[in-house]
Amino acid sequence: MSYRIGLVGKPSVGKSTFFNAATMNDVPEGAYPFTTIDPSVGEAYVRVPCAAPEFDETCTPSVGVCADGTRFVPVQLVDVAGLVPGAHEGRGLGNQFLTDLNETDVLVHVVDFSGTTDIEGEPTEGHDPREDIDFLEEELDAWYLDVLEKGIDKHGTRYHGAEAVIEEDLAEQLSAFGITKDEVKQVILAEGLELDADAWEESDREGLAREIRKRTKPMVVAANKMDTPEAQRNFEEITADPDYDHLTFVPASAHAEKALKNAAETGVVEYTAGEDDFDVRADVSTDQADGLDRIATFLDEYGGTGVQSCLEAAIFDVLGCIAVFPGSANGPKDEKGVFRDCFLLPEDSTTEDFAFHIHSDIGEGLLHGIDCRSDRQVSKSHELSHRDVIELVSTKQAIA
Ligand SMILES: Nc1nc2c(ncn2[C@@H]2O[C@H](COP(=O)(O)OP(=O)(O)OP(=O)(O)O)[C@@H](O)[C@H]2O)c(=O)[nH]1
Ligand SMILES: [Mg+2]
């Protein structure tokens, strides 16, 4: 199971353009709201420096690709329908939208930083992107609050007195968000509340819903349309605004990424996703040359189009995932020494978690691991780091 990143935001901010650029699919893009009705799921990638060259190996990735020493590890990207205020009450494409979000591990909130679309995605000028950032968080919080309150109601009717275990009932109601009863309890206590729903004020319930949302739907803001001067001004202002310190912002131009991928497909340029430059390989018209020049200036200024960086910020910075390579301590002649796989694991994963991630048989028979760089044995409970190369020594083989 690969990680799922949900692209969310109001209509016309560039979600489909971003999706198409990252996955090279052909979802309709358009300057009118609700171009996308059904969520589209595609394969995108996050970059990890390949470990094979350090071991004088060549790699043959079983999934994704490796280009010039950079592994592109697959993740799923979901292009969700545009969200409008009131979605939690069924406005716009309402509840369908929210249901699609349940399936995601992390969100990239695509925001039109140029301010040329209003809160409903209709053309305008001078719109403050802060309104969009606020509304998405509020909309998600309202949705979580609805579910939380249902859980509180059920809890109130189901049990009486000492048997009532609030965190169990809430975790059950919130199960679609992937939160355990221990985590619910942690959040309740961290909010300074008693484990007794009767003692909670409305503002307490709102605070709880917000905290649970933040934990279960961490997000990155893609500051899109940064190829416009208005967006650049807004970006400076908003990233300096302390009210937005809790968010990770990545400047992006989905347009530029899409243009480069298209040009690469037709052989006009040579471009690797995420890079901060490209080579022109064919004769181009004056208009095309101007367009490519503007993109080159953008890449120079921002270190890339930002599309890859958004995905990587979501997986590595916000979710805290690590990438681990299964290796062999026996050197290059061993078949297993070929770097076929690279797995994304949750933060704090141990050798044992890694083994179970690959196969339950390997996990059950696990004796220990070997860190292939140092050739040292590591215990089952050893916490792994990003880009570790680990051989798993197990009494059992995975049955394919
Ligand atoms: N200048 C600029 N325009 C962009 C960029 N990305 C997208 N656009 C334009 O914004 C408009 C909306 O893009 P879409 O990708 O269809 O937006 P969406 O968010 O998927 O919209 P819905 O499906 O309606 O929710 C299109 O006209 C795009 O060409 C960008 O990086 N820069
Ligand atoms: Mg769309």
Side-chain angles (χ1 to χ4, degrees), residues 10-17 19 27-30 32-38 79-82:
K10 73 180 186 185
S12 300
V13 292
K15 297 181 296 298
S16 296
T17 308
F19 177 86
V27 172
E29 297 155 22
Y32 48 90
F34 296 122
T35 313
T36 305
I37 307 279
D38 295 320
D79 179 20
V80 182

